[in-house]
Amino acid sequence: MHLTAPATGRATRTTGVRDTDGMAVASFILGLLGLLVLNLFLGPIAIVLASLALIRGTSRRGRAWLGLALGVGDLLILLAFMQADASVSWGF
């Protein structure tokens, strides 16, 4: 966290919003990537990052919601393929 001291003498946070925006974008990318590979790992990570971004008040709420939905979708796709193949993993 970077603190800056403006002319008023008080310290303010400058990285909080960027951090939450980064979490929202990362959740979207990981959720999207998780649809193809490693959905057991990338799905929960996308869900956690999206949840944290939404709780902390990101300005990219749409991207965070998409990341959350894609993370859940990752796990649902994994579950569907596990049921169809009767195995713990799946491949192309």
Side-chain angles (χ1 to χ4, degrees):
M1 171 176 36
H2 299 287
L3 296 175
T4 59
T8 59
R10 290 184 288 175
T12 58
R13 289 178 64 168
T14 59
T15 60
V17 174
R18 277 192 316 189
D19 290 344
T20 57
D21 289 349
M23 282 191 270
V25 172
S27 71
F28 173 71
I29 291 171
L30 291 176
L32 196 59
L33 185 62
L35 291 174
L36 300 174
V37 294
L38 297 173
N39 35 9
L40 181 62
F41 299 109
L42 296 179
I45 293 171
I47 292 169
V48 169
L49 285 176
S51 299
L52 286 174
L54 288 169
I55 289 170
R56 293 182 182 179
T58 184
S59 61
R60 297 179 183 236
R61 295 185 60 80
R63 200 129 320 147
W65 281 109
L66 281 173
L68 185 66
L70 287 169
V72 171
D74 291 346
L75 297 178
L76 291 176
I77 286 175
L78 177 66
L79 183 67
F81 278 112
M82 283 174 38
Q83 291 295 321
D85 292 344
S87 68
V88 179
S89 64
W90 65 276
F92 289 113

Coordinates of all heavy atoms in Angstrom, one line a residue:
M1 N 0.9 -1.2 0.0 CA 0.0 0.0 0.0 C 0.9 1.2 0.0 O 1.8 1.3 0.8 CB -0.9 0.0 1.2 CG -1.7 1.2 1.4 SD -2.8 1.2 2.8 CE -2.1 0.3 4.0
H2 N 0.6 2.2 -0.9 CA 1.4 3.4 -1.0 C 0.6 4.5 -0.3 O -0.6 4.7 -0.5 CB 1.6 3.8 -2.4 CG 2.4 2.7 -3.2 ND1 3.7 2.6 -3.0 CD2 2.0 1.8 -4.1 CE1 4.2 1.6 -3.7 NE2 3.1 1.1 -4.4
L3 N 1.3 5.3 0.5 CA 0.6 6.4 1.2 C 1.2 7.7 0.6 O 2.5 7.8 0.4 CB 0.8 6.4 2.7 CG 0.1 5.2 3.4 CD1 0.5 5.2 4.8 CD2 -1.4 5.2 3.2
T4 N 0.4 8.6 0.3 CA 0.9 9.9 -0.1 C 0.4 11.0 0.8 O -0.6 10.9 1.4 CB 0.4 10.3 -1.5 OG1 -1.0 10.3 -1.5 CG2 0.9 9.3 -2.6
A5 N 1.2 12.0 1.0 CA 0.8 13.1 1.9 C 0.5 14.4 1.0 O 1.4 15.0 0.5 CB 2.0 13.4 2.8
P6 N -0.8 14.7 0.9 CA -1.1 15.9 0.1 C -0.8 17.1 0.9 O -0.3 17.1 2.0 CB -2.6 15.7 -0.1 CG -3.1 14.7 0.9 CD -1.9 13.9 1.3
A7 N -1.2 18.2 0.4 CA -0.9 19.5 1.0 C -1.6 19.7 2.3 O -1.1 20.5 3.2 CB -1.3 20.7 0.1
T8 N -2.6 18.9 2.6 CA -3.3 19.0 3.9 C -2.6 18.3 5.0 O -2.9 18.5 6.2 CB -4.8 18.4 3.8 OG1 -4.7 17.1 3.4 CG2 -5.6 19.2 2.7
G9 N -1.6 17.5 4.7 CA -0.9 16.8 5.7 C -1.4 15.5 6.1 O -0.8 14.8 6.9
R10 N -2.6 15.1 5.6 CA -3.1 13.8 5.9 C -2.7 12.7 4.9 O -2.5 13.0 3.7 CB -4.6 13.8 5.9 CG -5.2 14.6 7.1 CD -6.7 14.5 7.1 NE -7.2 15.3 6.0 CZ -8.4 15.4 5.7 NH1 -9.3 14.8 6.3 NH2 -8.8 16.2 4.7
A11 N -2.4 11.5 5.3 CA -2.1 10.4 4.4 C -3.3 9.8 3.8 O -4.3 9.6 4.5 CB -1.3 9.4 5.1
T12 N -3.3 9.5 2.5 CA -4.4 8.9 1.8 C -4.0 7.6 1.1 O -2.8 7.5 0.7 CB -5.1 9.8 0.8 OG1 -4.1 10.2 -0.2 CG2 -5.6 11.1 1.5
R13 N -4.9 6.7 0.9 CA -4.6 5.5 0.2 C -4.8 5.7 -1.3 O -5.7 6.3 -1.7 CB -5.5 4.4 0.6 CG -5.3 3.9 2.0 CD -6.3 2.8 2.4 NE -6.1 1.7 1.5 CZ -6.6 0.5 1.7 NH1 -7.4 0.3 2.7 NH2 -6.4 -0.5 0.9
T14 N -3.8 5.2 -2.1 CA -3.9 5.4 -3.5 C -4.0 4.1 -4.3 O -4.3 4.1 -5.5 CB -2.7 6.1 -4.1 OG1 -1.5 5.4 -3.8 CG2 -2.5 7.5 -3.5
T15 N -3.8 3.0 -3.7 CA -3.8 1.7 -4.4 C -5.0 0.9 -4.1 O -5.2 -0.2 -4.7 CB -2.6 0.9 -4.0 OG1 -2.6 0.6 -2.6 CG2 -1.3 1.6 -4.4
G16 N -5.9 1.2 -3.2 CA -7.0 0.4 -2.8 C -8.0 0.2 -4.0 O -8.4 -1.0 -4.2
V17 N -8.3 1.2 -4.7 CA -9.2 1.0 -5.9 C -8.6 0.2 -7.0 O -9.2 -0.7 -7.6 CB -9.7 2.4 -6.4 CG1 -10.5 2.2 -7.6 CG2 -10.5 3.1 -5.3
R18 N -7.3 0.5 -7.2 CA -6.6 -0.3 -8.3 C -6.5 -1.8 -7.9 O -6.6 -2.6 -8.8 CB -5.2 0.3 -8.5 CG -5.2 1.4 -9.4 CD -3.7 1.7 -9.8 NE -2.9 1.6 -8.6 CZ -1.6 2.0 -8.6 NH1 -1.1 2.5 -9.7 NH2 -0.9 1.9 -7.5
D19 N -6.3 -2.1 -6.6 CA -6.2 -3.5 -6.2 C -7.6 -4.2 -6.4 O -7.6 -5.3 -6.9 CB -5.9 -3.6 -4.7 CG -4.4 -3.2 -4.5 OD1 -3.6 -3.1 -5.4 OD2 -4.1 -2.9 -3.3
T20 N -8.7 -3.6 -6.1 CA -10.0 -4.2 -6.3 C -10.3 -4.3 -7.7 O -10.9 -5.3 -8.2 CB -11.1 -3.5 -5.5 OG1 -11.1 -2.1 -6.0 CG2 -10.9 -3.5 -4.0
D21 N -9.9 -3.3 -8.5 CA -10.2 -3.4 -10.0 C -9.3 -4.6 -10.6 O -9.8 -5.3 -11.4 CB -9.8 -2.1 -10.7 CG -10.8 -1.0 -10.4 OD1 -11.9 -1.3 -9.8 OD2 -10.6 0.1 -10.7
G22 N -8.1 -4.7 -10.1 CA -7.3 -5.8 -10.6 C -7.8 -7.2 -10.2 O -7.7 -8.1 -11.0
M23 N -8.4 -7.3 -9.0 CA -9.0 -8.5 -8.6 C -10.2 -8.9 -9.4 O -10.4 -10.0 -9.8 CB -9.4 -8.4 -7.1 CG -8.3 -8.6 -6.1 SD -8.9 -8.8 -4.4 CE -9.0 -7.1 -3.9
A24 N -11.0 -7.9 -9.8 CA -12.2 -8.1 -10.7 C -11.7 -8.6 -12.0 O -12.3 -9.6 -12.5 CB -13.0 -6.8 -10.8
V25 N -10.7 -8.0 -12.6 CA -10.2 -8.4 -13.9 C -9.6 -9.8 -13.8 O -9.8 -10.6 -14.7 CB -9.2 -7.4 -14.5 CG1 -8.6 -7.9 -15.7 CG2 -10.0 -6.0 -14.8
A26 N -8.8 -10.0 -12.8 CA -8.2 -11.3 -12.6 C -9.2 -12.4 -12.5 O -9.1 -13.5 -13.0 CB -7.2 -11.3 -11.4
S27 N -10.3 -12.2 -11.7 CA -11.3 -13.2 -11.6 C -12.0 -13.5 -12.9 O -12.3 -14.7 -13.2 CB -12.4 -12.7 -10.5 OG -13.2 -11.7 -11.0
F28 N -12.2 -12.5 -13.7 CA -12.8 -12.7 -15.0 C -11.9 -13.6 -15.9 O -12.3 -14.5 -16.5 CB -13.1 -11.4 -15.7 CG -13.6 -11.5 -17.1 CD1 -14.8 -12.0 -17.4 CD2 -12.7 -11.1 -18.1 CE1 -15.2 -12.1 -18.7 CE2 -13.1 -11.2 -19.5 CZ -14.4 -11.7 -19.7
I29 N -10.6 -13.2 -15.9 CA -9.7 -13.9 -16.8 C -9.5 -15.4 -16.3 O -9.5 -16.3 -17.1 CB -8.3 -13.2 -16.8 CG1 -8.5 -11.9 -17.6 CG2 -7.2 -14.1 -17.5 CD1 -7.3 -11.0 -17.5
L30 N -9.4 -15.6 -15.0 CA -9.2 -16.9 -14.5 C -10.4 -17.8 -14.6 O -10.4 -18.9 -14.9 CB -8.8 -16.9 -13.0 CG -7.4 -16.3 -12.7 CD1 -7.2 -16.2 -11.2 CD2 -6.3 -17.2 -13.3
G31 N -11.6 -17.1 -14.5 CA -12.8 -17.9 -14.7 C -13.0 -18.3 -16.2 O -13.4 -19.4 -16.5
L32 N -12.6 -17.4 -17.1 CA -12.7 -17.7 -18.5 C -11.7 -18.8 -18.9 O -12.0 -19.7 -19.6 CB -12.4 -16.4 -19.3 CG -12.8 -16.4 -20.8 CD1 -14.3 -16.7 -20.9 CD2 -12.4 -15.1 -21.4
L33 N -10.5 -18.7 -18.4 CA -9.5 -19.7 -18.6 C -9.9 -21.1 -18.0 O -9.6 -22.1 -18.5 CB -8.1 -19.2 -18.1 CG -6.9 -20.1 -18.4 CD1 -6.7 -20.2 -19.8 CD2 -5.7 -19.5 -17.7
G34 N -10.5 -21.0 -16.8 CA -10.9 -22.2 -16.1 C -12.0 -23.0 -16.9 O -12.2 -24.2 -16.6
L35 N -12.7 -22.4 -17.8 CA -13.6 -23.1 -18.6 C -12.9 -24.2 -19.5 O -13.5 -25.2 -19.9 CB -14.4 -22.2 -19.5 CG -15.4 -21.3 -18.8 CD1 -16.1 -20.3 -19.8 CD2 -16.5 -22.1 -18.1
L36 N -11.7 -24.0 -19.8 CA -10.9 -24.9 -20.7 C -10.0 -25.8 -19.9 O -9.9 -27.0 -20.2 CB -10.1 -24.1 -21.7 CG -10.9 -23.2 -22.6 CD1 -10.0 -22.4 -23.5 CD2 -11.8 -24.0 -23.5
V37 N -9.3 -25.3 -18.9 CA -8.3 -26.1 -18.2 C -8.3 -25.8 -16.7 O -8.7 -24.7 -16.3 CB -6.8 -25.8 -18.7 CG1 -6.7 -26.3 -20.2 CG2 -6.5 -24.3 -18.6
L38 N -7.9 -26.7 -15.9 CA -7.7 -26.6 -14.5 C -8.9 -25.9 -13.8 O -8.8 -25.1 -12.9 CB -6.5 -25.7 -14.2 CG -5.2 -26.3 -14.6 CD1 -4.0 -25.3 -14.4 CD2 -4.9 -27.6 -13.9
N39 N -10.1 -26.3 -14.2 CA -11.3 -25.7 -13.6 C -11.5 -26.0 -12.1 O -12.1 -25.3 -11.3 CB -12.6 -26.0 -14.3 CG -12.6 -27.4 -14.9 OD1 -11.8 -28.2 -14.6 ND2 -13.6 -27.6 -15.7
L40 N -10.9 -27.1 -11.6 CA -10.9 -27.4 -10.2 C -10.2 -26.4 -9.4 O -10.5 -26.1 -8.2 CB -10.4 -28.8 -9.9 CG -10.4 -29.3 -8.5 CD1 -11.8 -29.4 -8.0 CD2 -9.7 -30.7 -8.4
F41 N -9.1 -25.8 -9.9 CA -8.3 -24.8 -9.2 C -8.7 -23.4 -9.6 O -8.8 -22.5 -8.7 CB -6.8 -25.0 -9.5 CG -6.3 -26.4 -9.1 CD1 -6.0 -27.3 -10.0 CD2 -6.2 -26.7 -7.7 CE1 -5.6 -28.6 -9.6 CE2 -5.8 -27.9 -7.3 CZ -5.4 -28.9 -8.3
L42 N -8.9 -23.1 -10.8 CA -9.2 -21.7 -11.3 C -10.6 -21.3 -10.9 O -10.8 -20.1 -10.7 CB -8.9 -21.6 -12.8 CG -7.5 -21.9 -13.2 CD1 -7.4 -21.7 -14.7 CD2 -6.5 -20.9 -12.5
G43 N -11.5 -22.2 -10.9 CA -12.9 -21.8 -10.5 C -13.0 -21.2 -9.1 O -13.5 -20.1 -9.0
P44 N -12.5 -21.9 -8.1 CA -12.6 -21.3 -6.7 C -11.8 -20.1 -6.6 O -12.2 -19.1 -5.9 CB -12.0 -22.4 -5.9 CG -12.3 -23.7 -6.6 CD -12.1 -23.3 -8.0
I45 N -10.6 -20.0 -7.3 CA -9.8 -18.7 -7.2 C -10.6 -17.6 -7.8 O -10.6 -16.5 -7.2 CB -8.5 -18.9 -7.9 CG1 -7.6 -19.9 -7.1 CG2 -7.7 -17.6 -8.0 CD1 -6.3 -20.4 -7.8
A46 N -11.3 -17.8 -8.9 CA -12.1 -16.8 -9.5 C -13.2 -16.3 -8.6 O -13.5 -15.1 -8.5 CB -12.6 -17.2 -10.9
I47 N -13.8 -17.3 -8.0 CA -14.9 -17.0 -7.0 C -14.5 -16.1 -5.9 O -15.1 -15.1 -5.5 CB -15.6 -18.3 -6.5 CG1 -16.3 -19.0 -7.7 CG2 -16.6 -18.0 -5.4 CD1 -16.8 -20.4 -7.4
V48 N -13.3 -16.5 -5.3 CA -12.8 -15.7 -4.1 C -12.4 -14.3 -4.6 O -12.7 -13.4 -3.9 CB -11.6 -16.5 -3.5 CG1 -10.9 -15.6 -2.5 CG2 -12.1 -17.8 -2.8
L49 N -11.7 -14.2 -5.7 CA -11.2 -12.9 -6.1 C -12.4 -12.0 -6.5 O -12.4 -10.8 -6.1 CB -10.3 -13.0 -7.3 CG -8.9 -13.5 -7.1 CD1 -8.2 -13.6 -8.4 CD2 -8.2 -12.5 -6.2
A50 N -13.4 -12.5 -7.1 CA -14.6 -11.7 -7.5 C -15.4 -11.3 -6.2 O -15.8 -10.2 -6.1 CB -15.5 -12.5 -8.4
S51 N -15.5 -12.2 -5.3 CA -16.2 -11.9 -4.0 C -15.4 -10.8 -3.2 O -16.1 -9.8 -2.8 CB -16.3 -13.1 -3.1 OG -17.0 -14.1 -3.8
L52 N -14.1 -10.9 -3.2 CA -13.3 -9.8 -2.5 C -13.5 -8.5 -3.2 O -13.6 -7.5 -2.6 CB -11.9 -10.3 -2.4 CG -11.5 -11.3 -1.4 CD1 -10.1 -11.7 -1.5 CD2 -11.8 -10.8 0.0
A53 N -13.4 -8.5 -4.5 CA -13.5 -7.3 -5.3 C -14.9 -6.6 -5.1 O -15.0 -5.4 -4.9 CB -13.3 -7.5 -6.8
L54 N -16.0 -7.4 -5.0 CA -17.3 -6.9 -4.8 C -17.5 -6.4 -3.4 O -18.1 -5.3 -3.2 CB -18.4 -7.9 -5.1 CG -18.5 -8.3 -6.6 CD1 -19.4 -9.5 -6.7 CD2 -19.1 -7.1 -7.3
I55 N -16.9 -7.1 -2.4 CA -17.0 -6.6 -1.0 C -16.3 -5.3 -0.8 O -16.7 -4.5 -0.1 CB -16.5 -7.8 -0.1 CG1 -17.5 -8.9 -0.1 CG2 -16.3 -7.2 1.3 CD1 -17.0 -10.2 0.6
R56 N -15.1 -5.2 -1.4 CA -14.3 -4.0 -1.2 C -14.7 -2.9 -2.1 O -14.1 -1.8 -2.1 CB -12.8 -4.4 -1.5 CG -12.3 -5.3 -0.5 CD -10.8 -5.6 -0.7 NE -10.3 -6.6 0.3 CZ -9.1 -7.0 0.3 NH1 -8.2 -6.6 -0.6 NH2 -8.7 -7.9 1.3
G57 N -15.7 -3.0 -2.9 CA -16.2 -1.9 -3.7 C -15.5 -1.6 -5.0 O -15.1 -0.4 -5.2
T58 N -15.3 -2.5 -5.8 CA -14.6 -2.3 -7.1 C -15.4 -1.4 -8.0 O -16.7 -1.4 -7.9 CB -14.2 -3.6 -7.8 OG1 -13.5 -3.3 -9.0 CG2 -15.5 -4.4 -8.2
S59 N -14.8 -0.6 -8.9 CA -15.5 0.1 -9.9 C -15.9 -0.7 -11.1 O -16.6 -0.3 -11.9 CB -14.7 1.4 -10.3 OG -13.5 1.0 -10.9
R60 N -15.3 -1.9 -11.2 CA -15.6 -2.8 -12.3 C -16.5 -4.0 -11.8 O -16.2 -5.1 -11.8 CB -14.3 -3.4 -12.8 CG -13.4 -2.4 -13.4 CD -12.1 -3.0 -13.9 NE -11.2 -1.9 -14.4 CZ -10.7 -1.9 -15.6 NH1 -11.0 -2.9 -16.5 NH2 -10.0 -1.0 -16.0
R61 N -17.7 -3.6 -11.3 CA -18.6 -4.5 -10.8 C -19.1 -5.6 -11.8 O -19.2 -6.7 -11.5 CB -19.8 -3.8 -10.2 CG -19.4 -3.0 -9.0 CD -20.6 -2.3 -8.3 NE -21.6 -3.3 -7.8 CZ -21.5 -4.0 -6.7 NH1 -20.4 -3.8 -5.9 NH2 -22.4 -4.8 -6.3
G62 N -19.3 -5.1 -13.0 CA -19.7 -6.1 -14.1 C -18.7 -7.2 -14.3 O -19.0 -8.3 -14.5
R63 N -17.4 -6.8 -14.4 CA -16.4 -7.7 -14.6 C -16.3 -8.7 -13.4 O -16.0 -9.9 -13.6 CB -15.1 -7.0 -14.8 CG -14.1 -7.9 -15.5 CD -13.4 -7.4 -16.7 NE -14.0 -6.7 -17.8 CZ -13.3 -5.8 -18.4 NH1 -12.0 -5.6 -18.1 NH2 -13.8 -5.2 -19.5
A64 N -16.4 -8.2 -12.2 CA -16.4 -9.0 -11.0 C -17.6 -10.0 -11.0 O -17.4 -11.2 -10.7 CB -16.4 -8.2 -9.7
W65 N -18.8 -9.6 -11.4 CA -19.9 -10.5 -11.4 C -19.7 -11.5 -12.5 O -20.1 -12.7 -12.3 CB -21.2 -9.7 -11.7 CG -21.8 -9.0 -10.5 CD1 -21.8 -7.7 -10.2 CD2 -22.3 -9.7 -9.3 NE1 -22.4 -7.5 -9.0 CE2 -22.7 -8.7 -8.4 CE3 -22.6 -11.0 -9.0 CZ2 -23.3 -9.0 -7.2 CZ3 -23.2 -11.3 -7.8 CH2 -23.5 -10.3 -6.9
L66 N -19.1 -11.2 -13.6 CA -18.8 -12.1 -14.7 C -17.8 -13.2 -14.2 O -17.9 -14.3 -14.5 CB -18.3 -11.5 -15.9 CG -19.3 -10.8 -16.8 CD1 -18.7 -10.0 -18.0 CD2 -20.2 -11.9 -17.4
G67 N -16.8 -12.7 -13.5 CA -15.8 -13.6 -12.9 C -16.4 -14.6 -11.9 O -16.1 -15.7 -11.9
L68 N -17.3 -14.1 -11.1 CA -18.0 -14.9 -10.2 C -18.9 -16.0 -10.9 O -18.8 -17.2 -10.5 CB -18.9 -14.1 -9.2 CG -19.6 -14.8 -8.1 CD1 -18.6 -15.3 -7.1 CD2 -20.6 -13.8 -7.4
A69 N -19.6 -15.6 -11.9 CA -20.4 -16.5 -12.7 C -19.6 -17.5 -13.4 O -19.9 -18.7 -13.5 CB -21.3 -15.7 -13.7
L70 N -18.4 -17.1 -14.0 CA -17.6 -18.0 -14.7 C -16.9 -19.0 -13.7 O -16.7 -20.2 -14.0 CB -16.5 -17.2 -15.5 CG -17.0 -16.5 -16.7 CD1 -15.9 -15.6 -17.3 CD2 -17.4 -17.5 -17.8
G71 N -16.6 -18.5 -12.5 CA -16.0 -19.4 -11.5 C -17.0 -20.5 -11.1 O -16.6 -21.7 -11.0
V72 N -18.2 -20.1 -10.9 CA -19.3 -21.1 -10.6 C -19.5 -22.0 -11.8 O -19.6 -23.3 -11.7 CB -20.6 -20.4 -10.2 CG1 -21.7 -21.4 -10.1 CG2 -20.4 -19.7 -8.9
G73 N -19.5 -21.4 -13.0 CA -19.6 -22.2 -14.2 C -18.5 -23.3 -14.4 O -18.7 -24.4 -14.8
D74 N -17.3 -22.9 -14.0 CA -16.1 -23.8 -14.0 C -16.4 -25.1 -13.2 O -16.2 -26.2 -13.7 CB -14.9 -23.1 -13.5 CG -14.3 -22.1 -14.4 OD1 -14.8 -21.9 -15.5 OD2 -13.5 -21.3 -13.9
L75 N -16.9 -24.8 -12.0 CA -17.2 -26.0 -11.1 C -18.4 -26.8 -11.6 O -18.4 -28.0 -11.5 CB -17.4 -25.5 -9.7 CG -16.2 -24.8 -9.1 CD1 -16.6 -24.3 -7.7 CD2 -15.0 -25.7 -9.0
L76 N -19.4 -26.1 -12.2 CA -20.5 -26.9 -12.8 C -20.1 -27.7 -14.0 O -20.6 -28.9 -14.1 CB -21.6 -25.9 -13.1 CG -22.3 -25.3 -11.9 CD1 -23.4 -24.3 -12.4 CD2 -23.0 -26.3 -11.0
I77 N -19.3 -27.2 -14.8 CA -18.8 -27.9 -16.0 C -17.9 -29.1 -15.5 O -18.1 -30.2 -16.0 CB -18.0 -27.0 -16.9 CG1 -19.0 -26.1 -17.7 CG2 -17.1 -27.8 -17.9 CD1 -18.3 -25.1 -18.5
L78 N -17.1 -28.9 -14.5 CA -16.3 -30.0 -14.0 C -17.2 -31.1 -13.4 O -17.0 -32.3 -13.7 CB -15.3 -29.5 -12.9 CG -14.5 -30.6 -12.2 CD1 -13.5 -31.2 -13.2 CD2 -13.8 -30.0 -11.0
L79 N -18.2 -30.7 -12.7 CA -19.2 -31.7 -12.1 C -19.9 -32.4 -13.2 O -20.0 -33.7 -13.1 CB -20.2 -30.9 -11.2 CG -21.2 -31.8 -10.5 CD1 -20.5 -32.7 -9.5 CD2 -22.2 -31.0 -9.8
A80 N -20.3 -31.7 -14.3 CA -21.0 -32.4 -15.4 C -20.1 -33.4 -16.1 O -20.5 -34.5 -16.4 CB -21.5 -31.4 -16.4
F81 N -18.9 -33.0 -16.4 CA -18.0 -33.9 -17.0 C -17.6 -35.1 -16.1 O -17.3 -36.2 -16.6 CB -16.7 -33.2 -17.6 CG -17.0 -32.5 -18.9 CD1 -17.0 -31.2 -19.0 CD2 -17.2 -33.3 -20.0 CE1 -17.2 -30.6 -20.2 CE2 -17.4 -32.7 -21.2 CZ -17.4 -31.3 -21.3
M82 N -17.4 -34.8 -14.8 CA -17.1 -35.9 -13.9 C -18.3 -37.0 -13.9 O -18.0 -38.2 -13.8 CB -16.9 -35.4 -12.5 CG -15.5 -34.8 -12.4 SD -15.2 -33.9 -10.8 CE -16.0 -34.9 -9.6
Q83 N -19.5 -36.5 -13.9 CA -20.6 -37.4 -13.9 C -20.7 -38.2 -15.2 O -21.0 -39.3 -15.3 CB -21.9 -36.6 -13.7 CG -22.1 -36.0 -12.4 CD -22.2 -37.1 -11.3 OE1 -22.8 -38.1 -11.5 NE2 -21.6 -36.9 -10.2
A84 N -20.4 -37.5 -16.3 CA -20.5 -38.2 -17.7 C -19.4 -39.2 -17.8 O -19.6 -40.3 -18.4 CB -20.4 -37.1 -18.8
D85 N -18.1 -38.9 -17.3 CA -17.0 -39.8 -17.5 C -16.8 -40.7 -16.3 O -16.0 -41.7 -16.4 CB -15.7 -39.0 -17.7 CG -15.7 -38.3 -19.0 OD1 -16.5 -38.6 -19.9 OD2 -14.8 -37.4 -19.1
A86 N -17.5 -40.5 -15.2 CA -17.3 -41.3 -14.0 C -15.8 -41.2 -13.6 O -15.2 -42.2 -13.2 CB -17.8 -42.7 -14.1
S87 N -15.2 -40.0 -13.7 CA -13.8 -39.9 -13.3 C -13.7 -38.6 -12.5 O -14.6 -37.8 -12.5 CB -12.9 -39.9 -14.5 OG -13.1 -38.8 -15.3
V88 N -12.5 -38.3 -12.0 CA -12.2 -37.1 -11.3 C -11.7 -35.9 -12.2 O -11.8 -34.8 -11.8 CB -11.1 -37.3 -10.2 CG1 -10.8 -36.1 -9.4 CG2 -11.6 -38.4 -9.3
S89 N -11.3 -36.2 -13.4 CA -10.8 -35.2 -14.3 C -11.4 -35.4 -15.7 O -12.1 -36.5 -15.9 CB -9.3 -35.2 -14.4 OG -8.9 -36.4 -14.9
W90 N -11.2 -34.5 -16.6 CA -11.7 -34.6 -17.9 C -10.7 -34.0 -18.9 O -9.9 -33.2 -18.5 CB -13.1 -34.0 -18.1 CG -13.1 -32.6 -17.9 CD1 -13.3 -31.9 -16.8 CD2 -13.1 -31.6 -19.0 NE1 -13.3 -30.5 -17.0 CE2 -13.1 -30.3 -18.4 CE3 -12.9 -31.6 -20.3 CZ2 -13.1 -29.1 -19.1 CZ3 -12.9 -30.5 -21.1 CH2 -13.0 -29.2 -20.4
G91 N -10.8 -34.4 -20.1 CA -9.9 -33.8 -21.1 C -10.7 -33.7 -22.5 O -11.8 -34.2 -22.6
F92 N -10.0 -33.1 -23.4 CA -10.6 -32.9 -24.7 C -10.7 -34.2 -25.5 O -10.0 -35.0 -25.6 CB -9.9 -31.9 -25.5 CG -10.0 -30.5 -25.0 CD1 -8.9 -29.8 -24.4 CD2 -11.2 -29.8 -25.0 CE1 -9.1 -28.6 -23.9 CE2 -11.4 -28.5 -24.5 CZ -10.3 -27.9 -24.0

